[in-house]
């Protein structure tokens, strides 16, 4: 397995850990690194096609899971903002008549 594929696997593992910890800042950094490493791996003249294919499939599955986690997080934040907005409106009404 080439060094580029090994690095890509390490970054994928770190990205998975960051996703499970909901470390959004690390996810952003690791996503950038991952894209750069994919470019390097694809340009590696001595790459192992099978190993690269397997790594890319694992990466694709991880990104699909990451999209689901991000969507759930966005939904939760949206619900929180809606609750805060309603609470704020209720407080204003209370102040008007209180």
């Amino acid at each position: 397995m080439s060094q580029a594929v090994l690095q890509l696997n390490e970054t994928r593992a770190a990205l998975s850990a960051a996703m499970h910890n909901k470390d959004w800042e690390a996810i952003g950094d690791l996503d950038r690194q991952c894209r750069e490493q994919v470019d390097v791996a694809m340009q590696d003249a001595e790459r192992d096609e099978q190993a690269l294919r397997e790594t890319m499939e694992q990466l694709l599955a991880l990104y699909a899971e990451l999209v689901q986690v991000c969507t759930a997080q966005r939904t939760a934040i949206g619900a929180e903002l809606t609750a805060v907005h309603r609470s704020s409106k209720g407080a204003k009404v209370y102040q008007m008549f209180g």
Side-chain angles (χ1 to χ4, degrees):
M1 191 176 302
S2 73
Q3 183 65 27
V5 172
L6 289 173
Q7 287 179 336
L8 191 54
N9 279 326
E10 288 175 8
T11 304
R12 181 183 46 79
L15 184 60
S16 178
M19 178 185 66
H20 289 352
N21 293 329
K22 295 185 178 178
D23 184 349
W24 305 112
E25 188 172 331
I27 288 170
D29 292 339
L30 290 165
D31 175 54
R32 181 190 45 75
Q33 286 178 23
C34 203
R35 283 182 276 134
E36 291 170 0
Q37 290 173 353
V38 165
D39 288 341
V40 170
M42 295 300 288
Q43 294 173 7
D44 185 2
E46 298 177 16
R47 69 180 177 256
D48 177 352
E49 293 289 333
Q50 183 61 32
L52 181 58
R53 180 178 295 114
E54 290 171 6
T55 298
M56 295 301 286
E57 287 172 354
Q58 293 169 351
L59 197 55
L60 182 62
L62 177 62
Y63 271 96
E65 185 179 354
L66 185 58
V67 166
Q68 290 177 343
V69 169
C70 289
T71 300
Q73 185 70 24
R74 181 189 67 200
T75 300
I77 290 171
E80 271 185 56
L81 288 173
T82 299
V84 167
H85 182 67
R86 285 183 184 154
S87 180
S88 175
K89 277 183 148 178
K92 286 179 184 177
V93 169
Y94 180 76
Q95 287 175 352
M96 285 174 46
F97 296 108

